Amino acid sequence: VKGAILFFFLAIAVASSVAVAIGFDMGLQLTDLTPDNSYAREYFNAQEAYWEVSVAGSSPFVSLIIRDIDISTLENQVALGKMGKDWLSNEYMDASIDLISWHSWFTRWAVCHRNQSLGLGAAWPAAMAPVMAAYLPSFPPDMPGINGTLMQEFKDMLPEGDFAEVACTGGEEYGVECGQFYTGSNFADAVKKFLEFDTFSRFAGDLKFKGHKIDMFRVSGHHISMPKTSIQLQALNEAEEWYEGLLGPLKSKVVTSSQIYPIYDQYRIIVPETLTTFGMAIMAIIVIATFVLIHPLQVVIIALILVDIFLVLTASINMWGLELNSVSSICLIMAMGLVVDYSVHIMHNFAIQDSTRSRNERVVNCLAEIGPAVGQGALSTFIAIMPLALSRSNTFRVFFKMFFGIVIVGFSHGLVLAPVLLSLIGPSLPQKGQGAVEVRRAAAE
């Protein structure tokens, strides 16, 4: 029987090791934080079922934040335009969606005002016609010549500044990488004028001013749809490598940012952080067990049992159809503090048994004395987590599934595997006086 039990636990350990080595899914679906009957859950489930788009992977919005740079200069404005074009060429950026760039629209706006103030109606870029028509509705799209009064109004709208020109070699968008650029000391004031128009007020949140200077600003774009965790992690790595490799005047001035990046970053650190925390938990348990248990061999057995339990519980993530994320990782680490109880009680009671008796007799006495208490502890824990199985929130059901495994695996290792190991290699400890039962009886008298 002992051989069969050892073979069973060894087979489970090997199978769990293989499952962990093959790998498991990582991810944290935001819909799992909502109740089952939530409208948001129904909506996003339909999105994923019919369009294969997940909440965390549905063309996430991402921004480039630029700081500590004088954007009023020609060199920096041209560099900004080229950087935006280069950014969209990244594998995981969606080039079919235009950048949300205040600078692009401001440059067009400033050039249009300058040309109109000079009566050069024909010089309007085609892209600006519908935009200008939005706040000058009397103008038709072809923007015919205007009278002197309106020319003066255009001059008043745009603070006096310089215009520099960069020759276009073909294919570039007017006013972004090439063409005319508004420069000079009044640049920030001109941008403030630009933001006063309702059409462009949407860019107000993209700039931070400090006096008459622009202290920080951003341009934004979209990632491609990324339903898989592995792709999301690759997109995050690509974004970091891209901005760290920037050269020229924008070097070390740019970072990429997205509200979804902390979730992506979790996938990169969850495995090493879980293993590190587990290692620290094992070390803490070994240190404490060294003072509680009497023989070093018992400490080694406890450590091996905990490692096996961790492997089995980690493999159970796939069995339950779960993903490794912050919730399941927390359960794995908490498990160490719970399952150690079952095994340590058995080990300690075995150690204080009469060493003159055989190992089998000491194991029988040990189970008779402490076994019922350990079983009651496991049963009470199981009863306590039962309500979680009926929860309408998937997060709480994950806790139930993980703790169900913790109770079953911890109990079986503590009351089945540990006694078998003790009956085979349990240390015999020399005692000065009576056995454990006699010591307690003497103390009672």
Side-chain angles (χ1 to χ4, degrees), residues 253-422:
K253 308 292 185 181
V254 181
V255 294
T256 56
S257 174
S258 176
Q259 291 183 343
I260 207 71
Y261 278 175
I263 294 179
Y264 293 176
D265 199 36
Q266 173 187 228
Y267 307 148
R268 180 164 53 190
I269 66 173
I270 191 70
V271 172
E273 286 295 323
T274 300
L275 293 176
T276 300
T277 308
F278 169 70
M280 295 172 64
I282 286 290
M283 292 302 298
I285 290 172
I286 290 176
V287 171
I288 296 173
T290 301
F291 295 98
V292 174
L293 301 178
I294 299 175
H295 199 283
L297 180 58
Q298 290 183 311
V299 177
V300 173
I301 294 174
I302 282 291
L304 293 176
I305 288 177
L306 289 180
V307 170
D308 185 45
I309 290 175
F310 183 78
L311 283 174
V312 175
L313 290 177
T314 304
S316 72
I317 292 177
N318 278 338
M319 182 194 74
W320 285 111
L322 303 177
E323 298 171 316
L324 182 63
N325 52 42
S326 55
V327 177
S328 54
S329 177
I330 288 172
C331 290
L332 285 175
I333 302 306
M334 289 175 59
M336 296 303 100
L338 294 172
V339 299
V340 69
D341 233 18
Y342 305 126
S343 299
V344 166
H345 282 307
I346 298 296
M347 292 284 182
H348 181 264
N349 192 276
F350 177 85
I352 62 177
Q353 294 294 325
D354 186 356
S355 60
T356 61
R357 297 177 179 179
S358 66
R359 290 192 177 98
N360 286 337
E361 290 177 324
R362 280 182 285 160
V363 167
V364 171
N365 290 339
C366 169
L367 291 176
E369 292 178 13
I370 200 67
V374 173
Q376 290 172 6
L379 180 62
S380 63
T381 302
F382 182 76
I383 293 174
I385 65 172
M386 281 298 295
L388 295 177
L390 305 177
S391 174
R392 293 189 302 166
S393 171
N394 186 67
T395 301
F396 290 107
R397 291 198 296 271
V398 170
F399 268 93
F400 168 75
K401 293 173 181 178
M402 294 299 297
F403 271 79
F404 179 85
I406 289 170
V407 172
I408 298 301
V409 175
F411 178 80
S412 62
H413 279 71
L415 265 72
V416 180
L417 179 60
V420 170
L421 291 175
L422 290 173

Side-chain angles (χ1 to χ4, degrees), residues 349 352-353 365 369 434-445:
N349 192 276
I352 62 177
Q353 294 294 325
N365 290 339
E369 292 178 13
Q434 308 101 320
V437 176
E438 295 171 341
V439 170
R440 285 195 296 274
R441 189 175 300 157
E445 296 175 353

Side-chain angles (χ1 to χ4, degrees), residues 39-360:
Y39 172 78
R41 173 180 282 271
E42 294 178 6
Y43 170 77
F44 287 115
N45 284 345
Q47 283 279 91
E48 188 166 359
Y50 296 108
W51 305 109
E52 298 183 352
V53 173
S54 65
V55 182
S58 178
S59 299
F61 186 79
V62 58
S63 297
L64 294 179
I65 299 176
I66 300 95
R67 62 195 188 282
D68 301 329
I69 187 171
D70 183 6
I71 195 59
S72 67
T73 68
L74 175 64
E75 178 188 15
N76 290 339
Q77 291 187 56
V78 173
L80 177 63
K82 291 182 177 179
M83 180 190 69
K85 185 176 181 179
D86 180 60
W87 187 37
L88 284 182
S89 68
N90 285 339
E91 180 180 0
Y92 298 104
M93 291 298 297
D94 192 343
S96 67
I97 304 177
D98 291 337
L99 289 182
I100 303 173
S101 172
W102 67 269
H103 176 260
S104 175
W105 287 106
F106 167 75
T107 301
R108 297 185 183 114
W109 174 85
V111 172
C112 288
H113 275 71
R114 183 248 192 180
N115 291 342
Q116 287 295 338
S117 68
L118 297 176
L120 303 175
W124 286 64
M128 279 300 293
V131 178
M132 295 300 292
Y135 63 89
L136 292 174
S138 61
F139 278 19
D142 57 356
M143 296 297 177
I146 54 180
N147 58 44
T149 302
L150 194 53
M151 289 170 58
Q152 185 60 44
E153 290 179 3
F154 273 111
K155 289 181 180 179
D156 295 338
M157 288 180 189
L158 184 66
E160 184 176 351
D162 300 322
F163 280 86
E165 187 161 350
V166 177
C168 294
T169 58
E172 296 92 343
E173 185 180 4
Y174 185 94
V176 178
E177 296 177 63
C178 62
Q180 294 176 327
F181 292 86
Y182 182 86
T183 61
S185 59
N186 290 326
F187 184 88
D189 293 330
V191 173
K192 291 178 181 178
K193 283 283 188 180
F194 162 78
L195 296 175
E196 290 177 3
F197 290 93
D198 291 339
T199 306
F200 306 120
S201 60
R202 60 193 173 100
F203 295 116
D206 293 340
L207 298 107
K208 297 297 181 183
F209 294 91
K210 181 180 289 186
H212 294 283
K213 292 185 178 181
I214 297 176
D215 184 48
M216 182 184 300
F217 62 89
R218 68 182 177 185
V219 296
S220 304
H222 292 81
H223 282 297
I224 60 174
S225 181
M226 301 179 292
K228 294 184 178 180
T229 300
S230 58
I231 300 177
Q232 295 167 3
L233 184 54
Q234 290 171 19
L236 177 60
N237 291 333
E238 178 189 67
E240 292 181 346
E241 292 172 2
W242 176 81
Y243 78 74
E244 289 175 354
L246 282 175
L247 302 174
L250 297 180
K251 179 179 174 61
S252 303
K253 308 292 185 181
V254 181
V255 294
T256 56
S257 174
S258 176
Q259 291 183 343
I260 207 71
Y261 278 175
I263 294 179
Y264 293 176
D265 199 36
Q266 173 187 228
Y267 307 148
R268 180 164 53 190
I269 66 173
I270 191 70
V271 172
E273 286 295 323
T274 300
L275 293 176
T276 300
T277 308
F278 169 70
M280 295 172 64
I282 286 290
M283 292 302 298
I285 290 172
I286 290 176
V287 171
I288 296 173
T290 301
F291 295 98
V292 174
L293 301 178
I294 299 175
H295 199 283
L297 180 58
Q298 290 183 311
V299 177
V300 173
I301 294 174
I302 282 291
L304 293 176
I305 288 177
L306 289 180
V307 170
D308 185 45
I309 290 175
F310 183 78
L311 283 174
V312 175
L313 290 177
T314 304
S316 72
I317 292 177
N318 278 338
M319 182 194 74
W320 285 111
L322 303 177
E323 298 171 316
L324 182 63
N325 52 42
S326 55
V327 177
S328 54
S329 177
I330 288 172
C331 290
L332 285 175
I333 302 306
M334 289 175 59
M336 296 303 100
L338 294 172
V339 299
V340 69
D341 233 18
Y342 305 126
S343 299
V344 166
H345 282 307
I346 298 296
M347 292 284 182
H348 181 264
N349 192 276
F350 177 85
I352 62 177
Q353 294 294 325
D354 186 356
S355 60
T356 61
R357 297 177 179 179
S358 66
R359 290 192 177 98
N360 286 337

